[in-house]
Amino acid sequence: MKDLMALPNIGKVLAQKLIQAGIETPQDLAQQGSQAAFAAIKAQDPTACIQLLYSLEGAIENCPYQKLPADKKQVLKAYFKACAVLGT
């Protein structure tokens, strides 16, 4: 868990959610990608929000989620909306 918490945007609660989703290391997260990791968490926690998705991407990109480029946020937002429409 400490390895995950060393990433930006990942605190204890999000690290626990990642581990419950089978993502145990920063390498696992990078390999899965933010969207797949988000889907795995959302399957267990239907209240997962877009900020969580941004946080995952920021962790992979090694930056605070607030500093993600606008075009990257647009792609993530479209994915999040698609998840909502599909009920996933």
Side-chain angles (χ1 to χ4, degrees):
M1 182 177 336
K2 289 181 183 179
D3 289 344
L4 287 170
M5 291 175 54
L7 297 172
N9 314 310
I10 308 291
K12 185 176 182 177
V13 172
L14 183 48
Q16 288 173 335
K17 288 181 182 196
L18 285 165
I19 290 168
Q20 288 171 347
I23 300 166
E24 299 182 359
T25 67
Q27 294 79 14
D28 291 343
L29 178 57
Q31 189 173 33
Q32 290 280 327
S34 61
Q35 294 177 10
F38 177 80
I41 291 170
K42 188 146 176 77
Q44 298 174 19
D45 177 8
T47 66
C49 64
I50 194 164
Q51 183 180 342
L52 188 143
L53 178 57
Y54 289 162
S55 294
L56 294 170
E57 183 64 30
I60 292 168
E61 298 290 329
N62 197 33
C63 72
Y65 73 89
Q66 300 93 331
K67 296 198 180 213
L68 288 171
D71 60 331
K72 177 67 77 170
K73 283 186 176 180
Q74 242 179 349
V75 169
L76 295 172
K77 188 183 253 187
Y79 173 78
F80 182 80
K81 286 181 179 180
C83 287
V85 169
L86 297 173
T88 58

